[in-house]
Amino acid sequence: MKITEQQDLILSYEGCAVVIASPGSGKTFVLSKKIKQNLKALKAHEGVIAISYTNKASDELRNRSLSEGENPMSSFFGTIDKFYISEIIVPFGKHIWGIPENEIEIKKIDSLPEDEKSLFDWFTRDVSLDAIQYYQIDVFKEYFKKGLVFIEAIGVMANYIYSNSCACRKYIKARYKYLYIDEYQDSGLSQHELFLKIKNLGVVSVAVGDLNQSIYAFSGKDSRYLDELTRNAEFKYFVLDKNHRCHSSIINYSNYLLNHKTELLRSEKSTVYFRRIDGWELNVSVWIDRNVPEILKVFNVERHNQIAILTRGNRTADLINRNLKTSHKLFIGNDLDNNLNVWSGIFSNLLSYQMDPKRRFVDVVEEFISFEKLSRRKKNELNALKNRLGRDTVYDNEVKGEMREIFKEIAKIISPNSENNDSVILLDKVLQNRQEFESYRPADDNELNIMTLHKSKGLEYDVVIHLDLHEWILPNKRPGVNNDFNNPVYGDYNQDINLHYVGITRARKACILISSTKRTNSNNEVRVGRDSEFLWVNQIENLRNKRSDGRN
């Protein structure tokens, strides 16, 4: 990839920085290139912290950063939650709170008995460490001593331990020289506070994100922290706004959606289309079946898996999955992926390895421990288990049973002190649910992708078919006071327009926006379907491709 002037400015800068990166601007290329540069200058005991929002994004950044055989040294690649747990809470919580009675388990506060849940009535995800009283911290302390850490509170706990453990701060400062956090627009308060504290240790810190791709406000994430950094004099401000991925008309359409005063690129024709289907989701499926051959031909798409069908929620995704005749793959999340116990991470990675022939076994191990630092005996045991595991993904009880036992044996070698029955139970749930199990397999060349808009973030396809563009759905709203339909109340208009923007910008060659004259509601009742206002805001329809009859 040829380095652009914008990218070169970032690569040449050695200090703390904030980078606002638009879709398709090459941010992963820039991050991996900077990490490659850093690794060359580090000592063996030093490393880089590279935080990505998802395990998949983390794997991609790691692979690209080490693509030419670079030594990762003592670097950390992973999610912020994994960093909290493995680098702060587990090793240093015992320094200030004492040694836990049991191995650390990650649970939800909601899993506690009712009388114990009330101990956390004061807690919210966006609570600042400075606002927490000592007696409230003591609640976390007592559970930590029992071996329990709560997923909702790990950011606050990590922040507290870091601030009160001199050993933790010395460790971070001695080991890590650079800190990179991607998708910073989805940062929470605890992450933002800790980022600034690590930066103040002298660690060169870089935040990368896009204010227009903030779509996780419902889980306590807020783009204002990234916005604050752009005005912080201690951070050099850079912009990556040249989209090298999408067709110029898609860039125009998505940028105009956010700001109708945007300067448009020159584009001979638009590859953003709108179709209103007569009927409900069943008829939408029929339309997709009928038009896939033409889509492949017109946009020169070589494989079906370069087409994605994106939905607002799981309900529409499931309806399309059940009614679509064309070969396809539905991607859904599961509790194993969302669980933060170490063994859950090992099992998730092993399932991905099992289902994806492009993944390497050694990369699964390296997520949790250096393969080279293992004894020869343990290396041989792991290789033997890998050979027993094979790559057989036949879904039957005998195969699943053997897979489960091999996964446990591998986990005992990789992380013997993290054995966790909850993780085994969650693994069993995946193995017993064919749809969840199959979600670990990438779409075959001849399969269309079906997923939610949230799940599509960070991915890209030749063609996107964007569904659920109905009034009341996107943007989400409800009738106002006294059931007043003329003065509705929006859930979060800005988050929804960002979500729509994310969906459009997943497309490289073409984006097809779909509405329909009917739709199913949350009770699976068929109702009249009206177009989303996003389809007509600020006369945006003028940027879409016109049919021969002049209609959109």
Side-chain angles (χ1 to χ4, degrees), residues 288-397:
I288 294 172
D289 281 326
R290 188 172 63 244
N291 284 277
V292 162
E294 184 180 2
I295 290 171
L296 292 167
K297 180 180 178 181
V298 169
F299 300 110
N300 194 28
V301 179
E302 295 181 357
R303 304 184 306 276
H304 283 65
N305 65 0
Q306 286 305 315
I307 299 176
I309 302 166
L310 307 183
T311 67
R312 171 65 195 257
N314 290 319
R315 183 171 54 84
T316 303
D318 185 58
L319 281 169
I320 299 299
N321 175 56
R322 287 191 275 117
N323 289 294
L324 195 66
K325 305 301 182 186
T326 305
S327 183
H328 60 274
K329 179 73 187 296
L330 173 66
F331 291 89
I332 59 173
N334 61 66
D335 292 336
L336 180 67
D337 282 343
N338 296 328
N339 188 269
L340 295 177
N341 288 315
V342 175
W343 270 33
S344 294
I346 294 173
F347 294 154
S348 268
N349 277 272
L350 284 170
L351 284 165
S352 294
Y353 161 77
Q354 192 72 12
M355 304 296 280
D356 185 352
K358 293 181 180 179
R359 293 208 65 178
R360 301 187 307 162
F361 183 78
V362 68
D363 291 333
V364 174
V365 178
E366 290 279 356
E367 278 277 311
F368 305 92
I369 192 171
S370 171
F371 188 80
E372 290 305 315
K373 291 181 180 179
L374 291 171
S375 67
R376 179 177 295 180
R377 178 178 63 81
K378 288 189 175 180
K379 287 180 183 176
N380 289 337
E381 289 176 356
L382 283 173
N383 283 324
L385 288 167
K386 180 188 76 170
N387 292 334
R388 279 180 56 198
L389 193 60
R391 280 282 171 80
D392 188 357
T393 57
V394 176
Y395 190 80
D396 66 43
N397 290 332

Side-chain angles (χ1 to χ4, degrees), residues 437-463:
F437 179 76
E438 287 289 336
S439 276
Y440 288 92
R441 176 179 62 80
D444 290 337
D445 286 356
N446 67 333
E447 291 180 317
L448 306 177
N449 301 272
I450 303 175
M451 67 187 72
T452 64
L453 289 159
H454 280 98
K455 198 167 184 63
S456 75
K457 191 168 178 220
L459 305 177
E460 57 185 77
Y461 301 92
D462 282 348
V463 177

Side-chain angles (χ1 to χ4, degrees), residues 127 172 215 410 491:
V127 65
I172 298 290
I215 58 175
I410 292 171

